[in-house]
Structure formats: C-alpha cells, structure tokens
Amino acid sequence: MKTVSTIVAICFPLLVTAQHVSVNGQVRDKNGDSLPLANIILLPDSVSAATDTDGYFSLSATTGPKQFIISYTGYQSIQRTIFLKNDTTINFPMEQKIDQLKEVVIRSNRFSQADWIETTRSSTNTLTPQEISAIPVLGGEADVIKVMQLLPGTVRGIEGSSDLFVRGGAADQNLVLLDDAPIYNTSHLFGFLSVFNPDVLENVESITGGFPAQYGGRLSSILNIETISDVPNRTHASANIGLLASRLFIEQPLVKDKASIWLTGRRTYIDQVVKLVNEELPYFFYDLNGKIIIKPGARDNIQLGFYGGQDVLDIFRDRNNDGDGFLTSYQSGNNSQMLKWERTFRSDWTSRLSFIRTEYKYEILNKFEDNRSVSSSDIEDIGVKFLAQKIFPGKSSVTFGADWTQHQVSPSVFSVSGTFAEIFESSSSAARQAQEVSLHGQYEWSLSSRWMLNTGFRASMAFVQNKTYAIPEPRISARYKMGKNEALKFSYSRMAQYMHRISNSAVTSPTDIWYPVTDSIRPQTSHQVSIAWQRLFGAKKIFVSVES
C-alpha cells in the first residue's frame, strides 16, 4: 500500500504538468494593425505557429512556465515567460525596429506562395492591396478585376471588359463575393473599371480549382474579397486624385481597441472635366463603402458593412434646339449589406455567422415628348451563412457549415406608352423566387510526412415552383511532397450552379438579366479534375506552379 502511495505521489504532478491547454491571441503593431505570418515559438514544448491574415494564432501546449518568442521582420522580437494553468488568450503588441544602418539590408518574410506547398490547395492565388496597387491599369486606378485577368488560366473578354473567363467557363460562372455578399455586376464605366474600391481591400483570394467544400453556386472560379476588419488606434484619412476618379477614405476609432468605423467614397469626374473644353459627357459613377467594427472581447469580432454603387448616363439629343428632344437615361447599380460575427472558442474552434443582403438592378428610359419606353430588371438575395473550423496539432483540420439564400428575381420588364405603343408591345417576365440551401464539410489530415489528403462533401438544393433540385458535390484533393520545396497535387471538384446570366445588348447599352433555375431550366453542373506540380527554388524565392 505504501508503494502504491509513493507511485501516485510521484506520477500525479507529472500528470498535472502534462495537461494540454489552448493558447489563442493576436499579434499587432503599436498602431493596432495586424501582422500576418508572424512567427510564434513556445519553449520548452518546441511548438511553433504563424499568425493568419488577421494576425491571429492558436496553438496547444502543456501547463507550466512557458517562454514565448515572437518575431516579425522589421519589428523588435518579444520574449516573454508566462505560466500556463488553463486556456489562455494573449495579445502581443510589437514595436518597429529602428536602427542606424551602416549598410542597406533588404529582408522579407518567406515567399507567401511557399505555404501552399504544405497544403493540398492548388489553383489558388492570394493578393495583398500593395500587390494590386503595383499593377499599372487604366487611368491609374488600381483594379482587382484587371489584376485577376492577368493570372494563368484566366482570359479577359473584349478590350476594357471586366468579365472573367476562367479555364473555359462563361463569364457568369464566376462567383464574386464582397464580405460574403455576392456581387452580380462587377463593372463601372461599361467594363473599364471594377466596383471594388482599392482603399478598403484587406484580402483577395482567387480560387480556380480544387474548390473547398464551403464554396459553391458557380462552376469556374471563386473571387473572395474581404475589406478592412481591424480596429485602429488612431484616426486615419487618405485621398487619391486620378485621371478617371477621385477617392476619399476615413477611418476613426470609436472606443479604444473595441470599436471603430471607416467610410470611403469614389466618384468619377470625367463628366465635369470635359465641360472645361466645352464638351459634354453625360455619364458618371460613384461608390460608397462603410463598416462598423466592434470587438467586445478578445474572442469576438462583429462587423456591420454596406456597399452602394451606381452608374448614371443621361443623353439628351435636340436636333432643332427647341427643347423637344430625345432623352435616353440609363442607371444600374449594386447595393449590399452585411452583418458578420466571428468568434474563437476556448476549445480552439472558430466560427463565422453572416447575414447578407445584396441587390442588382438597372433601368433604361427612352423619352420623346409624351412617348416613353422603360426597360428594367432587378435581382435581390437574402441569405445566412455559417462556418466552423478547428485546426488540430499535426496540420489536420475540420471545417463544416451551412448556407441558405433566397433569390428574388424580376428578370425583365418592358413598358411603353404614347406613339411607342404602336410600334412596340409592353411585356414582362413573371417574378421568380428560388431558395438555395447547402450543407458542407471537409477534413484535411496528414497520412505521412509526404502524403496529405483533403476530403469534402457539399450537398446543395434549390427549391423553385413545382420543382426541387438536389445535387451532391463531392470534393477531394491530395498532396504528395516530393522534397522540401516540391510537391505534386491532385484535385477533383463537382460544382452546381442555380443562377444563369443572359446578356442583352439590343437596347442602348449592354444589360445583364439574371435568371434562376425553373422546372424547365435545369442547373448547370461540372466535373473538374486537375493535377499540379509546384516548386520553390531556393534562396531566389521563385515559385513555379504548373497545372493541367
């Protein structure tokens, strides 16, 4: 009995010490800006992690005194000893390193594309606002869509068009998301500029194959655009005057480290410039973006955002200069609203719940004296999205969620009055409503030091009048690591699309009509198989990816 007591007395402290706890937190600079891909090392456990694009990290450790070492290029390293008793949340503010240099030393983080070699992901590109702004575009306006047109596998439409044709797909087979809200018309100035203001971009991700299970609804590609989501610690304002448009951006903290608001606006002024040479160009566009960010605690981030943009064209032709002329008016625009709640739980689970509303509509008016013709179309989506994810030790992860969207479509209305009624006949398409629902989940894990597998499944359904569609969408991807900086990847994706776009250029200017599936118009489906070879070439930081 005494021997048993002695063994328990020796082993009990070891068991307590061996308990695992979760450590979560964020790495930011003194201005409150997040530091992505900052390195965190935990000793003596020899556990390492890197922060995500928002500066957050999560790792598992045993209890007891631990030494945290945080490093980031251009910032002073942090070494801090913390005694871990239970699940802990820690924020690390870093200060910029200011040295008196005797020589020029250029340093940078590891080439970001190298991280893709460690995962099963392929056919994916991420862009920062700095990279987007560095690409020369029309009129000096940074344009994310124009940058996407330069990527491999992507073909642009006619010169100046903002349409994307990815790997043989049609222009309407690309899903464009702005803070989880789909954008149905991505262009201003009849295709020469996109609707995305570069001042507020935080993260841009383009996926053209090997689609994660959380994405669906289109066949060719996903363009996921996220806007600023951090709370700053000071007021920030900027302005830009370009050849085509001017922008103004204002960011204001409301409660220190807890709440902030930012607003930005953009408007073209070419209609005002041509007046200086006694000419008239009756066209302009504008964008308005805004977001309120609230962080009630270290684990929560609540965002309320909106977007609104409009193209306006008014042409008046008066040949006799008697005030009685022919008026053509064209207006089209998007508007969207978003409420997002992101939370990190003590169990290392992260979740995101989004409520979205988005609308796209246009109207074309032709008027001469008492004669009128009006053509219009409108589509409105209301939806809810939920996503949960957990990353386990050993590079494995699980993700699952659900989406629901209601499409309310008034495809086309054409009404005439006066003399026009003798030539044309009024018509309208019946309003359509479709409910789109999906459940999805995926699991990624390492089979060995070389093999990694990702299996996912998405079940999507569409409910329309007199018909219900249900389509299974399996996903699988694998990575075989051929060396430290070389990998071979394979992926298969089944996709389904329940919305279709009809392009019409018969009246005044090009217009888009979106139409949901019906009992006679079936969903579009696709099977995509891809194989990729990726290699990072040594210290030169050259990343090569060849896909078929």
Side-chain angles (χ1 to χ4, degrees):
M1 191 69 182
K2 183 177 179 180
T3 302
V4 174
S5 301
T6 303
I7 295 174
V8 171
I10 294 173
C11 294
F12 182 74
L14 297 176
L15 292 173
V16 172
T17 304
Q19 289 180 350
H20 282 76
V21 296
S22 297
V23 182
N24 301 283
Q26 185 181 26
V27 180
R28 300 186 298 178
D29 63 16
K30 289 295 185 179
N31 297 326
D33 296 328
S34 60
L35 298 179
L37 298 179
N39 295 311
I40 299 98
I41 299 177
L42 183 65
L43 299 176
D45 292 21
S46 297
V47 175
S48 63
T51 58
D52 61 16
T53 55
D54 296 323
Y56 289 98
F57 69 90
S58 178
L59 51 84
S60 178
T62 57
T63 56
K66 307 296 176 183
Q67 183 181 23
F68 287 83
I69 302 175
I70 297 90
S71 60
Y72 192 81
T73 303
Y75 289 77
Q76 297 180 13
S77 297
I78 297 176
Q79 295 187 20
R80 184 183 301 177
T81 300
I82 299 174
F83 191 91
L84 300 178
K85 295 181 180 179
N86 45 36
D87 293 345
T88 305
T89 299
I90 311 171
N91 293 324
F92 294 102
M94 302 190 73
E95 293 185 356
Q96 286 188 332
K97 184 186 298 183
I98 301 176
D99 297 322
Q100 186 68 33
L101 299 178
K102 295 182 180 179
E103 57 182 327
V104 176
V105 178
I106 300 176
R107 297 180 180 179
S108 64
N109 293 318
R110 183 173 60 153
F111 190 64
S112 60
Q113 298 287 18
D115 294 333
W116 295 121
I117 292 180
E118 301 298 326
T119 72
T120 59
R121 296 284 296 273
S122 61
S123 307
T124 302
N125 292 279
T126 57
L127 296 173
T128 65
Q130 293 77 17
E131 291 170 332
I132 294 172
S133 299
I135 303 296
V137 291
L138 177 67
E141 282 290 308
D143 194 327
V144 62
I145 297 295
K146 292 295 186 290
V147 175
M148 290 295 136
Q149 292 176 340
L150 301 176
L151 296 178
T154 303
V155 178
R156 65 183 181 183
I158 61 174
E159 188 65 32
S161 169
S162 64
D163 279 339
L164 298 174
F165 299 88
V166 180
R167 293 181 170 177
D172 69 329
Q173 293 172 348
N174 307 300
L175 177 63
V176 181
L177 299 172
L178 178 64
D179 285 331
D180 287 340
I183 301 298
Y184 283 96
N185 182 32
T186 62
S187 67
H188 281 312
L189 200 59
F190 303 100
F192 282 94
L193 287 176
S194 75
V195 300
F196 305 109
N197 192 324
D199 289 335
V200 299
L201 301 183
E202 183 176 72
N203 183 58
V204 177
E205 183 180 45
S206 171
I207 307 172
T208 58
F211 299 98
Q214 70 191 72
Y215 294 112
R218 299 293 189 274
L219 304 187
S220 291
S221 74
I222 309 295
L223 179 58
N224 186 29
I225 300 174
E226 297 178 348
T227 59
I228 296 172
S229 60
D230 276 338
V231 175
N233 62 359
R234 62 179 179 178
T235 302
H236 174 236
S238 63
N240 179 281
I241 299 177
L243 297 177
L244 297 177
S246 292
R247 310 192 302 266
L248 177 64
F249 172 77
I250 300 175
E251 189 176 32
Q252 175 63 49
L254 301 177
V255 179
K256 185 177 180 180
D257 297 329
K258 295 291 185 181
S260 68
I261 184 174
W262 57 258
L263 296 168
T264 184
R266 177 175 65 164
R267 188 191 189 278
T268 184
Y269 47 81
I270 55 177
D271 57 325
Q272 303 299 320
V273 172
V274 296
K275 290 182 179 179
L276 300 178
V277 292
N278 297 321
E279 295 292 339
E280 185 175 358
L281 180 61
Y283 168 82
F284 70 91
F285 74 81
Y286 69 85
D287 290 312
L288 292 173
N289 296 73
K291 183 183 284 188
I292 297 175
I293 305 164
I294 302 173
K295 292 188 175 182
R299 296 178 178 272
D300 296 279
N301 187 318
I302 300 173
Q303 304 170 39
L304 177 61
F306 74 89
Y307 163 74
Q310 192 85 1
D311 285 70
V312 179
L313 173 67
D314 288 306
I315 300 177
F316 183 72
R317 297 178 291 274
D318 185 3
R319 294 182 178 179
N320 300 324
N321 296 319
D322 57 0
D324 293 329
F326 195 94
L327 172 67
T328 298
S329 175
Y330 169 76
Q331 296 187 32
S332 72
N334 303 278
N335 71 84
S336 67
Q337 299 80 40
M338 170 274 299
L339 175 62
K340 184 191 300 183
W341 177 27
E342 297 176 335
R343 178 170 176 78
T344 302
F345 296 90
R346 293 185 180 274
S347 58
D348 291 343
W349 281 96
T350 60
S351 68
R352 184 176 70 209
L353 179 64
S354 301
F355 300 89
I356 59 102
R357 177 196 170 273
T358 185
E359 182 183 28
Y360 167 64
K361 60 182 178 181
Y362 73 82
E363 181 179 274
I364 301 172
L365 166 67
N366 292 292
K367 180 180 178 182
F368 178 71
E369 295 180 347
D370 295 330
N371 309 301
R372 294 167 57 93
S373 70
V374 179
S375 178
S376 63
S377 181
D378 185 11
I379 176 172
E380 179 186 41
D381 285 358
I382 297 175
V384 180
K385 298 181 179 183
F386 173 76
L387 183 70
Q389 182 182 49
K390 183 173 182 177
I391 300 176
F392 299 94
K395 299 181 180 180
S396 62
S397 66
V398 62
T399 306
F400 68 88
D403 302 337
W404 169 82
T405 304
Q406 175 181 279
H407 305 287
Q408 186 72 38
V409 183
S410 175
S412 180
V413 176
F414 181 66
S415 62
V416 292
S417 61
T419 307
F420 287 166
E422 301 176 2
I423 305 174
F424 304 102
E425 182 178 350
S426 297
S427 64
S428 64
S429 300
R432 298 282 181 176
Q433 186 180 92
Q435 309 277 343
E436 190 174 336
V437 180
S438 65
L439 299 173
H440 54 82
Q442 69 178 29
Y443 181 55
E444 183 175 78
W445 74 100
S446 296
L447 299 176
S448 66
S449 60
R450 292 182 178 272
W451 282 99
M452 178 173 281
L453 187 66
N454 185 311
T455 57
F457 188 82
R458 181 182 180 92
S460 62
M461 300 181 69
F463 303 91
V464 297
Q465 188 176 10
N466 302 325
K467 188 73 174 182
T468 297
Y469 294 99
I471 300 177
E473 302 178 43
R475 317 280 171 87
I476 186 171
S477 57
R479 182 218 68 192
Y480 176 72
K481 202 168 183 181
M482 305 171 67
K484 182 179 180 181
N485 297 317
E486 187 176 12
L488 190 66
K489 298 182 179 182
F490 165 85
S491 70
Y492 165 76
S493 301
R494 174 93 189 276
M495 305 290 281
Q497 180 169 337
Y498 300 98
M499 296 293 296
H500 312 279
R501 190 183 77 170
I502 303 171
S503 295
N504 176 18
S505 57
V507 269
T508 306
S509 67
T511 56
D512 293 333
I513 298 175
W514 286 88
Y515 210 81
V517 293
T518 66
D519 55 353
S520 58
I521 301 178
R522 298 179 57 82
Q524 303 177 70
T525 59
S526 70
H527 299 271
Q528 189 199 76
V529 178
S530 69
I531 186 170
W533 171 79
Q534 296 177 344
R535 174 75 184 268
L536 180 68
F537 289 90
K540 294 183 179 181
K541 302 294 190 289
I542 299 176
F543 178 78
V544 176
S545 179
V546 180
E547 299 186 27
S548 178

